[in-house]
Amino acid sequence: MTDEPGGLIHPELRSERNESPVGPAGQRLQHAEGTSQPLRSKIRERQPRGAEVNGRRPIDHEAAAARFIAAPEHEKMHDERLWDLRSKRDAQMHAIPEWEELRELASQIKQHTLAHLDEYLEQFEAAAKANGVHVHWATDGAAHNRIVHGILRDHGAKRLIKSKSMLTEECGLRDYMAATGIEVVETDLGERIQQLDDEPPSHVVVPAVHKLRRDVAEVFSRTLGSDPDTDEVPYLAERQREATRPLILSADAGMTGGNFAVAETGSFVVCTNEGNADLSANVPALHIASIGIEKLIPRVEHLGVFIRLLSRSALGSPITQYTSHFRRPREGGEMHVVLVDNGRSARLGMAEFWTSLKCIRCGACMNTCPVFRRSGGLSYGATYAGPIGLILDPTFDKRKYSTLPFASTLNGSCSNVCPVKINIHEQIFAWRRVLAEEHEIPLVKRQMMQAAGAVLSRPALYRAAISTADSALRFLPRFAVYNRWNAWGAGREMPPAPKETFHTWYARTHPAADKGSGDGSA
Amino acid sequence: MRVALFVPCYVDAFEPQVGIATLELLRRFDLDVTYPFDQTCCGQPMTNTGCHKEAAATEALFVRNFSGFDHIVVPSGSCAHQVREHMTAIPQTPAVKAVRERTLELVEFLHDVLKVDAFPWAEFPYKVSYHNNCNALRGIGHAAPSELHGPFFSKPLDLLKKVKGLELVQLARPDECCGFGGTYCVAEPAVSVKMGYDKVADHARAGAEYVVSADSSCMMHQQGCARRLGVDLRFIHIAQVLNGATA
Amino acid sequence: MDPRDAILAAVRRNRPVGEHPLPPVPHFAVSEAGERAACFARSLELMGGKVLEPDPAADLLTAYLRGSGLAPPEIVCSAVPEIAGNRDLATVAHPRDLADVDVAVVRAACGVAETGSVLLTEAQLQVNAVAYLAQHLLVLLDPADIVASIHDAYDRPEFHQARYAVFHTGPSATADIEGVLVHGAQGVRSLTVVLLPRQPSSVPA
């Protein structure tokens, strides 16, 4: 029995009933974040929570990932949904002959802009000001939050509606605003679910992908008063729409992020599937956009390259439902742009890591990452999870995120799906070296590697260490992993021990062969 | 043509028959094959952990052992990748560069250097699922990775198609990592094991009787998972299949 | 130091080494497989939008309601001469006053065959929020205004002149819960495009 390619690893999640809309020809629609085949969680199960975060203590990704895997319905659904996005992405890629050329262009445009970022920032600022946009500069997250608060305070704003922005997550805007008495309302469905559940987003484009419908039904019944026993998705989405609409209509200010900022026009672009950025920007008279300084691109023509890559890479959808370009405030409106550094200019000076600033936050690396799919985004205990997180997070705090570059098999799939060709897995590898050199890996691990290096560079010592299968089983895994030999046996059988090593066989069957010096001086 | 055989530490200790098959297979092509006796390891456990300094002496030993050959052949994509791409803890002298450039994984050597067009001694009448080791696939270019837009090619499948009776089956996720990942397999055992279980499930659903790979380490991990799950799958290295192993 | 100067100074100090020239963007000829309008329609339908051929025998609004299966709307807000609505956009004091609109009708500045997108700006929308607060959106598009690709669309002057320019590609959508697609997440529940040439009087000079 052979399943077709694209089949499920967990076929029990396949749903008999299609819940998604169909197109005019009767075809099941799969645009936006929609899955390419009907899936449905079937077993009730408590939602696992993410990593514990304690100050600067290194994040225990493994423990949080183990909790996620111990909730199999969550883990399986998470894995299949994200793999489905990866499969949809592949289909889109195959439909575009110039795909690899687009990736190379996107990479070069970004590298060029980052290498001339001062000029493009000044050009953007001048153009935006000429358009009547107020431009602010924030050196860090705290400064960003103070600036946003100041603008809102000056306008007497009591309620802020906002679309999803990883930058405002990075700055901790919601926590900051909680103390000011200004209400912040997320308008992206996934982000709103996470806000109502007091959890950060677990993924840059699908923030609640780690939750099952039952989890959402529980959150909505607790916070929106929906029927706790109804977990039909259209019902849940409609309850949220109805609950959020009055908040949108009565908001005093709207906030968006920015996917791209165009230097020549002083304009910025926001991509959403829900149209919630357009509501946030177009209903209240005051629009604030928070934009990282690395979001610059030189000209409008370059948008074509990025827009063609972004949603295809992220969701396997040709484009987001809404691609919105903001250049000047509307009649009677007011527009503010906050340009945020928060570690970016310092990252620019890191020779091995500056190209991570090319990232356009599509999440393709998360979707393809086999570790991310099994561990859930919240297991990383950081704003940025998955492969891109492994290389961004240590730039914020080397100690706290010292464990993350080790949460990878270095399989390299992330680099291949990256639409701007960041060598993600090579940077993960490089971070391991930096962390070891700067003593941010556990001492016992380093000592074990010193011992392994000493044995492996002395043939006679090495041969003695693995002379019997028994001693080999003790030495080989130990050099690989310091003191966690039990870790192999917890889920796997031991390899059967052969009666002799290759080396012994060779010596026995080739009596005339040169037997070396034993000290490697050969 | 002087060829040196590098037998990775895992193969040496746990899968000696893979080293033997590689040696026998190379000798079938009338090559002068040497097994340098003082060889140990390529240094990967240390560099993958970030401990490059600790790998330097092992790397230097590797270069001493393997200098002076036309090719260094190793039945492991992972170790070939380590030598070619990551053996950088020691000064890059001409001798070091020569050893690194001349190190080839067995499949590459057969496909690209010897350009073998037949394995008349080989017959393997089973349904086979091929496991692409990630370093072999994306690190040294064994095949076209599924993430990239380009023409399909696969050196190991090209070779396996020349084996009589062998029937390839198709995985749902043909180049998904199996979760071994070197030190990763014990650093994050829960994720590693779950990835291994999913891989084993994919092989089984595809109807494979045997899993074939150019890397013993991935197979040791998958075999451990399959046995724990009680899934009836057998694992064999591509060197053994091409050398005429019957099961 | 002033934060602006501090950031720019840090950026200059940390400038990556190397040349990093800006590459020219070549003209990519996107495959359209047949008529451009048909290609546009296929693309839009995959994104959850609907495309209606105009019926010369029927009134446009009637044909739209019949084609989309909608109940007769109470409030129609039209920004096009082809359809007379019953809510005048010129009199809207605040965007929230559009919260009860059932159907909004606008004409697109252009369409994009590659993706099935329509381009709207404040010139077409009059009040931007109408395209999001209305329950349903009807867009008129002159087939002559369809460009082949997203690259071609970015050659349009709107991106240098309009205050606000937006590609709509289907209705407001989400699949944030278990990947189940839902139309009408926050904005319009449906988007329908009628391929209708501009009336001579509405062609911009």
Side-chain angles (χ1 to χ4, degrees):
Chain A
M1 179 202 76
T2 306
D3 239 42
E4 287 173 26
L8 299 175
I9 296 288
H10 308 289
E12 63 274 22
L13 295 176
R14 195 174 277 132
S15 175
E16 298 307 312
R17 188 162 63 89
N18 174 41
E19 300 175 275
S20 292
V22 294
Q27 79 277 28
R28 181 176 175 282
L29 294 173
Q30 57 176 61
H31 60 93
E33 310 92 342
T35 51
S36 63
Q37 57 183 314
L39 301 179
R40 185 183 182 117
S41 67
K42 290 161 188 170
I43 296 168
R44 278 186 186 230
E45 179 183 81
R46 185 184 291 273
Q47 183 198 328
R49 295 296 169 177
E52 284 170 31
V53 179
N54 289 313
R56 293 193 65 206
R57 267 238 308 268
I59 299 290
D60 191 345
H61 173 265
E62 156 66 5
R67 281 198 297 281
F68 193 68
I69 290 167
E73 196 75 355
H74 283 82
E75 185 270 329
K76 289 189 296 188
M77 192 71 174
H78 189 257
D79 172 66
E80 291 289 6
R81 273 185 69 190
L82 294 177
W83 179 259
D84 190 76
L85 292 179
R86 160 68 210 279
S87 304
K88 284 170 63 188
R89 169 229 174 251
D90 290 358
Q92 289 293 324
M93 166 185 76
H94 287 299
I96 298 192
E98 64 270 24
W99 183 261
E100 299 300 337
E101 198 178 348
L102 287 173
R103 287 177 72 220
E104 183 58 34
L105 280 170
S107 171
Q108 288 185 17
I109 293 166
K110 277 283 185 182
Q111 283 184 198
H112 166 83
T113 315
L114 290 166
H116 302 84
L117 193 55
D118 53 334
E119 300 156 39
Y120 286 117
L121 281 167
E122 288 182 312
Q123 189 188 1
F124 175 84
E125 181 194 40
K129 282 182 164 172
N131 293 336
V133 177
H134 302 269
V135 179
H136 310 259
W137 300 74
T139 51
D140 58 19
H144 164 267
N145 296 343
R146 282 196 304 273
I147 290 166
V148 173
H149 182 209
I151 300 167
L152 295 172
R153 197 182 45 218
D154 292 347
H155 289 75
K158 291 282 168 225
R159 178 178 292 145
L160 174 72
I161 50 170
K162 69 183 287 291
S163 64
K164 189 157 61 65
S165 153
M166 289 311 297
L167 179 57
T168 61
E169 295 292 331
E170 188 185 309
C171 296
L173 178 74
R174 283 210 307 266
D175 281 347
Y176 174 93
M177 295 303 286
T180 67
I182 298 174
E183 184 191 4
V184 178
V185 179
E186 296 288 347
T187 56
D188 172 84
L189 172 60
E191 191 76 16
R192 182 65 173 158
I193 293 168
Q194 291 309 97
Q195 183 186 23
L196 293 172
D197 198 25
D198 198 22
E199 239 186 10
S202 73
H203 186 289
V204 295
V205 296
V206 271
V209 68
H210 61 295
K211 279 185 162 68
L212 301 179
R213 61 179 70 208
R214 290 276 351 138
D215 305 325
V216 178
E218 186 277 320
V219 172
F220 281 6
S221 74
R222 176 159 49 82
T223 56
L224 303 179
S226 67
D227 175 0
D229 297 320
T230 304
D231 61 4
E232 292 305 308
V233 173
Y235 168 82
L236 294 169
E238 186 64 20
R239 291 291 79 72
Q240 186 275 147
R241 176 185 167 109
E242 285 174 5
T244 307
R245 183 56 73 98
L247 304 176
I248 292 173
L249 295 175
S250 59
D252 308 297
M255 186 166 196
T256 66
N259 293 82
F260 306 98
V262 184
E264 74 170 331
T265 51
S267 57
F268 57 96
V269 182
V270 185
C271 302
T272 74
N273 283 320
E274 302 186 18
N276 58 314
D278 303 278
L279 283 163
S280 301
N282 286 319
V283 176
L286 175 60
H287 176 191
I288 305 170
S290 296
I291 301 174
I293 55 173
E294 86 285 16
K295 295 293 179 190
L296 267 287
I297 58 170
R299 297 197 293 272
V300 167
E301 66 167 319
H302 299 128
L303 281 172
V305 173
F306 291 98
I307 296 299
R308 292 187 75 202
L309 286 168
L310 176 62
S311 184
R312 287 182 169 106
S313 297
L315 304 170
S317 196
I319 190 168
T320 47
Q321 308 293 115
Y322 299 98
T323 305
S324 311
H325 308 72
F326 298 95
R327 199 176 69 88
R328 298 183 62 179
R330 65 178 195 264
E331 284 296 350
E334 193 173 313
M335 195 182 285
H336 294 256
V337 167
V338 188
L339 294 170
V340 185
D341 183 338
N342 203 34
R344 286 161 175 75
S345 61
R347 206 179 303 149
L348 199 59
M350 304 170 84
E352 286 180 287
F353 304 116
W354 71 275
T355 57
S356 63
L357 289 162
K358 292 190 289 185
C359 176
I360 57 172
R361 306 288 190 266
C362 71
C365 62
M366 301 177 177
N367 302 344
T368 201
C369 178
V371 174
F372 181 89
R373 274 186 270 113
R374 271 81 174 192
S375 48
L378 299 180
S379 66
Y380 296 78
T383 300
Y384 300 103
I388 189 67
L390 304 190
I391 63 175
L392 292 182
D393 297 325
T395 68
F396 292 103
D397 189 331
K398 272 184 201 151
R399 171 142 310 156
K400 185 173 182 177
Y401 303 119
S402 59
T403 51
L404 295 188
F406 295 89
S408 164
T409 63
L410 298 176
N411 62 78
S413 185
C414 47
S415 304
N416 281 352
V417 297
C418 179
V420 290
K421 295 182 84 165
I422 301 170
N423 58 337
I424 302 176
H425 75 294
E426 290 171 1
Q427 292 194 29
I428 296 171
F429 181 79
W431 266 113
R432 293 182 181 184
R433 197 198 70 247
V434 169
L435 292 166
E437 283 170 0
E438 300 189 8
H439 305 288
E440 295 290 3
I441 67 170
L443 184 63
V444 59
K445 196 171 187 170
R446 196 179 173 89
Q447 287 170 336
M448 189 49 69
M449 288 305 149
Q450 280 165 352
V455 173
L456 289 170
S457 56
R458 293 176 179 82
L461 213 55
Y462 170 71
R463 287 297 151 197
I466 65 157
S467 58
T468 67
D470 223 36
S471 58
L473 282 175
R474 276 197 303 276
F475 174 73
L476 285 179
R478 278 182 65 87
F479 82 43
V481 284
Y482 55 111
N483 56 357
R484 296 187 62 183
W485 177 220
N486 286 343
W488 181 278
R492 289 163 285 219
E493 296 300 318
M494 298 290 294
K499 64 179 194 300
E500 61 183 350
T501 64
F502 174 84
H503 192 82
T504 312
W505 171 85
Y506 188 86
R508 185 167 57 74
T509 54
H510 298 72
D514 177 1
K515 296 300 190 297
S517 64
D519 62 3
S521 59
Chain B
M1 190 189 290
R2 290 197 68 220
V3 173
L5 173 64
F6 169 39
V7 177
C9 53
Y10 276 100
V11 171
D12 179 46
F14 298 117
E15 304 281 347
Q17 65 281 10
V18 172
I20 296 168
T22 305
L23 183 63
E24 289 178 355
L25 180 59
L26 292 175
R27 283 176 176 164
R28 285 178 187 270
F29 300 101
D30 293 328
L31 299 169
D32 173 13
V33 185
T34 304
Y35 170 74
F37 217 67
D38 280 347
Q39 62 180 277
T40 59
C41 166
C42 61
Q44 190 168 193
M46 287 82 84
T47 46
N48 266 14
T49 315
C51 297
H52 291 240
K53 238 184 344 204
E54 289 76 2
T58 304
E59 292 185 3
L61 172 65
F62 188 94
V63 172
R64 284 201 299 279
N65 276 323
F66 289 101
S67 284
F69 294 95
D70 297 314
H71 299 285
I72 298 120
V73 178
V74 50
S76 159
S78 181
C79 301
H81 175 255
Q82 164 68 22
V83 173
R84 286 229 293 271
E85 304 298 325
H86 287 161
M87 194 173 264
T88 54
I90 46 175
Q92 298 297 299
T93 62
V96 172
K97 283 188 188 163
V99 164
R100 291 181 61 193
E101 285 164 10
R102 293 173 186 190
T103 298
L104 292 174
E105 194 283 321
L106 174 66
V107 167
E108 297 178 297
F109 182 68
L110 297 173
H111 189 279
D112 300 345
V113 177
L114 297 185
K115 301 184 171 32
V116 179
D117 55 12
F119 298 89
W121 50 81
E123 182 171 358
F124 202 71
Y126 299 100
K127 289 186 175 174
V128 163
S129 170
Y130 186 76
H131 172 69
N132 279 300
N133 162 274
C134 295
N135 286 319
L137 178 74
R138 302 188 188 88
I140 59 173
H142 256 201
S146 60
E147 304 93 3
L148 298 178
H149 193 303
F152 178 81
F153 73 94
S154 169
K155 296 174 187 178
L157 295 188
D158 281 354
L159 299 181
L160 288 176
K161 281 171 186 164
K162 301 182 202 302
V163 174
K164 203 157 79 180
L166 188 147
E167 184 190 338
L168 287 164
V169 299
Q170 183 71 33
L171 293 174
R173 304 181 186 178
D175 52 24
E176 169 101 319
C177 175
C178 70
F180 174 68
T183 55
Y184 183 79
C185 72
V186 266
E188 296 215 319
V191 181
S192 171
V193 165
K194 184 61 175 56
M195 287 166 66
Y197 286 1
D198 287 351
K199 193 58 155 179
V200 165
D202 203 2
H203 289 307
R205 270 183 345 92
E209 296 165 282
Y210 273 89
V211 177
V212 175
S213 177
D215 222 291
S216 294
S217 54
C218 298
M219 286 201 290
M220 199 166 94
H221 161 70
Q222 292 178 43
Q223 186 164 21
C225 291
R227 290 205 176 134
R228 179 60 57 91
L229 290 172
V231 172
D232 182 26
L233 267 179
R234 282 160 287 174
F235 294 80
I236 189 166
H237 194 280
I238 192 169
Q240 296 167 275
V241 174
L242 297 179
N243 189 45
T246 49
Chain C
M1 201 198 289
D2 173 68
R4 175 187 184 277
D5 297 340
I7 292 170
L8 288 173
V11 165
R12 282 182 196 118
R13 199 167 52 240
N14 292 329
R15 181 176 201 261
V17 295
E19 278 303 306
H20 308 292
L22 183 62
V25 179
H27 181 264
F28 293 106
V30 173
S31 152
E32 296 179 72
E35 289 271 320
R36 190 170 286 181
C39 179
F40 168 86
R42 271 197 308 277
S43 301
L44 178 57
E45 284 171 359
L46 288 175
M47 294 292 291
K50 299 188 185 94
V51 180
L52 282 185
E53 290 292 333
D55 178 356
D59 161 70
L60 190 54
L61 190 61
T62 313
Y64 162 66
L65 294 172
R66 195 173 57 224
S68 52
L70 293 179
E74 285 182 24
I75 299 176
V76 176
C77 207
S78 177
V80 301
E82 289 88 345
I83 288 180
N86 55 7
R87 172 74 53 83
D88 185 358
L89 278 165
T91 66
V92 171
H94 189 282
R96 78 168 72 91
D97 299 340
L98 296 165
D100 56 354
V101 172
D102 296 301
V103 175
V105 191
V106 298
R107 178 172 281 282
C110 78
V112 186
E114 177 190 358
T115 51
S117 309
V118 290
L119 178 66
L120 303 169
T121 75
E122 72 273 10
Q124 288 80 35
L125 296 166
Q126 298 185 22
V127 180
N128 296 343
V130 75
Y132 309 94
L133 291 173
Q135 299 295 313
H136 301 276
L137 185 60
L138 173 60
V139 179
L140 312 186
L141 173 65
D142 189 332
D145 290 334
I146 301 176
V147 300
S149 73
I150 289 288
H151 298 292
D152 298 329
Y154 278 117
D155 288 339
R156 303 266 314 186
E158 285 84 352
F159 298 99
H160 298 265
Q161 292 163 6
R163 292 164 185 265
Y164 171 66
V166 58
F167 292 119
H168 281 217
T169 315
S172 166
T174 183
D176 272 337
I177 305 172
E178 288 201 355
V180 175
L181 188 60
V182 176
H183 288 165
Q186 301 284 17
V188 298
R189 298 175 190 275
S190 75
L191 176 131
T192 304
V193 171
V194 179
L195 295 171
L196 188 70
R198 292 173 188 273
Q199 293 178 356
S201 62
S202 68
V203 175

